[in-house]
Amino acid sequence: MKPISTLISALPGSVAQGLIWGILAIGVYITYKILDFADLSVDGSLGTGGAVAVVLIINGCPVPLALFIAFIAGCAAGLVTGLLHTTLGIPAILSGILTQLALYSINLDIMGQANTAINVDKYPLIVSLRFIPSTIIKGALFIAAIIAILYWFFGTELGFTIRATGCNKSMSRAQGINTKSSTVIALVISNGLVGLAGGLLAQYQGNADVNMGRGAIVIGLAAVIIGEVLGELILGKHMNFVGRLVFTALGAVIYYIVIQIVLWLGLSSQNTKLFSAIVVAIFLAVPYLRKQSKSSFKKAGKASMKGAEGNG
C-alpha cells in the first residue's frame, strides 16, 4: 500500500476526470433510464467526439466551435443508431453494436491514424490534465449548464413524449405519440452529450485515440447506478429529475475515486477493467438486494401476524 498522501494528491485528478465522464453518464441516463434503450454505440461516439475535436483544433478551429461540432458528430452517431432501430427494425442492442463497429473505421479516417496528440502549450484547450483546479471548475459548469438545459427540455411537450415512450411504448402509441421519432431524438441527444464528453476528454488527456471509448458504456452505467443508489439513500422519495441527473454526474466522480482507491491499495492497473466490472456488479445488485430484503421483512411480518392471530 502506498502512503495516504499519494491517494490524497491523486483525488483531484479523479474528480476532474469523473466530471468529464459525468457528461457521458448523463447521456447514458437518457437512453438507459428515460428511454429504456440499451445503447452500445456510446463506445464509438465518445471516440468520434474526441477525434473530431482534436483534428479541428489542430487545424485552427476555435476550441468552443470544435466542441460544438464534436457534439453534432455524436448526434449524427445517435441518429444512425436510431434509424437502424426504428426504420430497419434492427434490435436496440444490435443497432448500437453496428454503429459502434462502423465508428471505429470512421474515427480512424477522421484522424488518419490510431492516435492524435494535442498539446495544451500550443492550443488554448478548455480542460487539461496539467490544470486540474480549473478543469474541475469548468467540468462542474458544463454539467450545471447541461442539467439546466435538460430540465427545461424534458419539461416541454417533446420531452414528455420521450419520457412517455420510455415508460410505455404501447400506451404512448395509443395516445398518438410517434414513438419512433421520440426514440431517435433521445438517441441523438444522448450521443451528442457523449460526443461532447469525448471532445473534452481528448483535451484533458492530451490525445484522441481510436480505442478511447472502449468500455465507456460500462463506466456510464456504473455512474448511473451508483448515482441512483446514493440518491435514493440520501434523498429518498424527494429525489426529482434534477436530483437524478446531479447524482448521475456524482456517480461518475465516485466511480473514479473508487478506482483510484483500488489502485492506491496496490492492485495492478492491468486489472482496471476487472475492477470496473466488479464495481458495476456490486451497485447493480444493491437495488435488487434491498427489494429482496424489504419483501422478506414483509413476509416475515405477515407470517408473525398470522401466527399471533392463530394463537389468539
Side-chain angles (χ1 to χ4, degrees), residues 18-311:
L19 287 171
I20 294 172
W21 281 90
I23 298 172
L24 175 142
I26 292 173
V28 171
Y29 179 87
I30 293 172
T31 51
Y32 181 65
K33 284 294 182 180
I34 297 178
L35 189 63
D36 193 24
F37 188 104
D39 180 24
L40 298 184
S41 58
V42 167
D43 286 19
S45 53
L46 181 76
T48 301
V52 167
V54 167
V55 169
L56 286 174
I57 293 170
I58 289 175
N59 285 279
C61 180
V63 177
L65 180 58
L67 279 178
F68 176 73
I69 297 175
F71 171 80
I72 298 300
C75 290
L79 177 63
V80 171
T81 301
L83 292 177
L84 287 174
H85 176 63
T86 59
T87 305
L88 301 181
I90 300 174
I93 292 178
L94 290 179
S95 60
I97 291 173
L98 288 173
T99 303
Q100 177 194 139
L101 184 64
L103 286 175
Y104 184 89
S105 296
I106 292 172
N107 295 343
L108 278 174
D109 290 335
I110 291 172
M111 293 188 293
Q113 54 191 346
N115 184 290
T116 301
I118 189 167
N119 195 323
V120 68
D121 293 328
K122 295 178 63 176
Y123 305 98
L125 304 183
I126 292 178
V127 295
S128 173
L129 182 61
R130 288 169 52 185
F131 303 108
I132 298 296
S134 64
T135 296
I136 292 175
I137 294 171
K138 291 172 183 177
L141 290 175
F142 265 101
I143 288 175
I146 289 168
I147 290 175
I149 293 170
L150 290 178
Y151 177 74
W152 165 81
F153 174 76
F154 280 102
T156 63
E157 184 177 349
L158 181 56
F160 275 117
T161 62
I162 294 173
R163 296 167 76 171
T165 299
C167 289
N168 191 320
K169 276 191 177 183
S170 299
M171 184 62 72
S172 298
R173 281 193 291 266
Q175 295 296 323
I177 294 174
N178 188 332
T179 56
K180 290 185 177 180
S181 296
S182 299
T183 299
V184 172
I185 292 170
L187 285 166
V188 166
I189 296 172
S190 170
N191 281 275
L193 291 175
V194 174
L196 174 63
L200 288 170
L201 182 63
Q203 293 180 55
Y204 176 77
Q205 63 188 21
N207 69 86
D209 191 276
V210 73
N211 292 313
M212 65 183 286
R214 183 171 293 177
I217 185 62
V218 176
I219 298 174
L221 288 174
V224 171
I225 301 303
I226 292 170
E228 184 178 47
V229 171
L230 291 178
E232 289 180 355
L233 286 174
I234 296 172
L235 298 180
K237 296 180 180 179
H238 300 289
M239 189 164 70
N240 56 14
F241 181 67
V242 171
R244 292 182 186 280
L245 294 180
V246 170
F247 274 99
T248 294
L250 287 176
V253 174
I254 293 169
Y255 170 85
Y256 271 96
I257 290 175
V258 170
I259 294 298
Q260 188 61 55
I261 292 172
V262 169
L263 295 176
W264 170 73
L265 291 173
L267 299 177
S268 173
S269 59
Q270 296 178 359
N271 296 321
T272 303
K273 298 296 183 183
L274 173 61
F275 304 147
S276 302
I278 293 172
V279 170
V280 174
I282 291 172
F283 278 94
L284 279 171
V286 168
Y288 173 78
L289 294 176
R290 287 180 64 195
K291 288 180 181 178
Q292 290 293 102
S293 63
K294 287 181 180 178
S295 62
S296 298
F297 281 126
K298 286 181 180 179
K299 289 179 181 178
K302 289 180 180 179
S304 62
M305 288 294 291
K306 288 180 179 179
E309 290 174 0
N311 293 331

